[in-house]
Amino acid sequence: MKLRLLDHLVCPIDKSRLELVQWEASSVKLSAEELGRIERVGLEPALFSTEITTGLLLNRTKKIFYPIHQGIPRMLVFPTGVARYFAEKHAERIARELPGFTLPQEKAMSGEETVLRTFSSEWVNYDWDEGSYWNLTHDVMYKSMNFMLNLSRRPVKDKLILEVGIGIGGSADYMARRAECELVGMDLSYADDPAYMHFGTNPFLHIVQGSAFAPQFRENTFDLVYSQGVLHHTFSTKSAFDQICKLPKLGGRLYVWVYNPHDDQRTLIRRAIMLMETVIRPLCCRLPASLQTVALLPLLPLYLIHQNFLAGRNGSPRIKYGLREAMHAARDRFTPRFAHRHTEEEVCRWFR
Ligand SMILES: C[S@@+](CC[C@H](N)C(=O)[O-])C[C@H]1O[C@@H](n2cnc3c(N)ncnc32)[C@H](O)[C@@H]1O
């Protein structure tokens, strides 16, 4: 966690400012270009070059702490494996230096723990290598992000951006570098860990583990908030939307991309896949990760044939799938607890 992130974070429970307790930190060397960017916005370089790898964020009034573990602030308000691990590992020091402080003990939103578990398996087992980003090459993916966020007409240079649900973090890293913005990437799952491993050295990208349902930011904060393929994977897309729509500042922008029902009806193959999803997903999401892998193995040849021989015949550039990509795509389709569909008209109404 860069020191700078402290300026943006608040307690997700009562929105109060947090106090940093720094236990382990390192200093990252900034390039001339990075120093130039920081100077341009009039901030101290140390805010971006100080990386806190272990520590705590305190809410003194509530006597709770959020761990900073392996460089990532863990801001979920309900008990998680990583927070418990941190509390046990540092129990003696916490008791000595911060007597009476505990982890937050709020209730998770409906199904949130399952969502955390399935998406963690989806991303932690998928090692980023730039070869593929979903079913596209990474540069095509970035071009489409540029287009969807309308970056050429609404540039975000030196602005503060939030991505809700960063997954493996490739788009977030790209945005922060190419669009020259400061970007906070938040995700519920342990996708944050591979994202941090691959992109954590980018001084303008902050990675946080948190949930759209309990945002760890003040309202009216960001110039742009975007979320791609995330909200429909929560128990209620609209409730998640209602939370994140408070985060852009006045005159700021909000972009969300969610599944729509028409896409699944466009071709015979898509209808067949949708039918399979309706049957398999509710069962598969409840299995432990290893059994999910076993259950999905028979589907992999279908993904390989479709992606490698049938898709992209209309000239659109497609990447070839190996087993890794096929398993990732199958997990994304068949393991999420929720995958709601929404029409364009419905989503437009949410914005009004
Ligand atoms: C299909 S992935 C999309 C990731 C990324 N946006 C992309 O396009 O590659 C959905 C992501 O949403 C995250 N997610 C689901 N529920 C969330 C929530 N309540 N808050 C934040 N992230 C959430 C999951 O952990 C997962 O990484």
Side-chain angles (χ1 to χ4, degrees):
M1 165 184 159
K2 279 113 208 155
L3 199 50
R4 164 71 170 157
L5 181 57
L6 191 60
D7 294 340
H8 306 312
L9 289 180
V10 291
C11 173
I13 299 173
D14 65 4
K15 305 287 178 200
S16 63
R17 277 197 75 86
L18 295 162
E19 181 184 322
L20 172 69
V21 178
Q22 191 173 310
W23 280 351
E24 282 173 341
S26 58
S27 188
V28 180
K29 196 166 164 20
L30 299 169
S31 69
E33 189 249 324
E34 288 161 350
L35 284 167
R37 278 180 63 180
I38 297 165
E39 199 178 321
R40 209 161 63 205
V41 289
L43 290 167
E44 274 297 307
L47 291 173
F48 295 86
S49 64
T50 310
E51 181 71 33
I52 300 127
T53 43
T54 312
L56 304 96
L57 292 162
L58 305 182
N59 178 333
R60 284 215 176 258
T61 316
K62 289 200 166 291
K63 283 209 133 185
I64 52 176
F65 69 88
Y66 298 93
I68 303 168
H69 178 63
Q70 294 185 339
I72 303 171
R74 314 286 172 163
M75 308 291 296
L76 290 168
V77 296
F78 57 89
T80 59
V82 71
R84 269 194 296 264
Y85 171 83
F86 180 94
E88 277 164 28
K89 185 172 174 202
H90 301 288
E92 219 177 277
R93 188 165 180 185
I94 294 169
R96 194 175 59 245
E97 294 177 15
L98 298 160
F101 275 80
T102 60
L103 289 166
Q105 297 290 333
E106 306 287 306
K107 256 174 76 78
M109 278 292 166
S110 171
E112 213 171 16
E113 281 143 321
T114 314
V115 176
L116 189 159
R117 183 174 65 81
T118 60
F119 276 108
S120 295
S121 311
E122 179 174 327
W123 287 115
V124 172
N125 295 316
Y126 180 85
D127 203 19
W128 168 260
D129 69 0
E130 281 212 338
S132 62
Y133 209 162
W134 296 106
N135 55 356
L136 301 169
T137 56
H138 71 280
D139 48 333
V140 172
M141 174 63 145
Y142 298 152
K143 269 191 204 145
S144 67
M145 289 299 296
N146 257 323
F147 174 76
M148 289 186 291
L149 298 176
N150 200 10
L151 293 181
S152 45
R153 297 181 69 184
R154 302 282 302 264
V156 290
K157 190 169 173 177
D158 298 334
K159 305 267 192 226
L160 182 64
I161 315 298
L162 171 68
E163 178 173 354
V164 178
I166 50 168
I168 197 82
S171 299
D173 177 68
Y174 166 82
M175 281 277 291
R177 284 181 200 281
R178 290 293 299 276
E180 295 189 42
C181 58
E182 184 181 355
L183 195 145
V184 183
M186 176 247 269
D187 201 287
L188 172 71
S189 74
Y190 297 118
D192 296 301
D193 289 272
Y196 181 82
M197 190 173 84
H198 290 288
F199 307 115
T201 54
N202 180 347
F204 302 100
L205 172 64
H206 309 287
I207 295 172
V208 188
Q209 187 173 21
S211 172
F213 289 110
Q216 54 283 69
F217 314 103
R218 286 218 180 81
E219 294 177 9
N220 302 315
T221 292
F222 295 92
D223 295 289
L224 167 67
V225 174
Y226 71 96
S227 185
Q228 169 88 2
V230 174
L231 304 187
H232 50 229
H233 289 308
T234 67
F235 84 99
S236 160
T237 313
K238 171 72 164 63
S239 305
F241 180 92
D242 285 344
Q243 287 299 323
I244 70 162
C245 75
K246 298 173 188 159
L247 301 175
K249 56 167 74 149
L250 202 65
R253 290 192 294 150
L254 173 65
Y255 163 93
V256 299
W257 183 95
V258 293
Y259 289 157
N260 86 54
H262 310 303
D263 253 8
D264 300 307
Q265 304 300 323
R266 272 198 286 131
T267 62
L268 210 57
I269 293 189
R270 280 173 185 263
R271 281 180 202 200
I273 296 175
M274 189 57 211
L275 194 67
M276 281 166 66
E277 183 190 318
T278 313
V279 177
I280 298 174
R281 196 170 46 74
L283 303 171
C284 204
C285 72
R286 291 182 165 78
L287 298 175
S290 52
L291 286 184
Q292 282 175 344
T293 309
V294 174
L296 294 176
L297 276 175
L299 297 176
L300 299 196
L302 300 178
Y303 273 91
L304 292 168
I305 293 168
H306 179 261
Q307 183 68 20
N308 295 348
F309 301 106
L310 303 177
R313 281 183 305 174
N314 57 3
S316 57
R318 294 268 176 154
I319 56 128
K320 296 275 179 223
Y321 271 5
L323 280 179
R324 180 187 79 127
E325 289 80 16
M327 180 54 90
H328 179 248
R331 275 194 196 285
D332 193 66
R333 168 72 78 157
F334 295 109
T335 66
R337 167 88 188 267
F338 310 105
H340 309 294
R341 265 74 178 169
H342 303 279
T343 61
E344 197 180 322
E345 295 74 35
E346 187 183 6
V347 178
C348 284
R349 273 199 303 277
W350 300 348
F351 275 88
R352 280 185 206 126

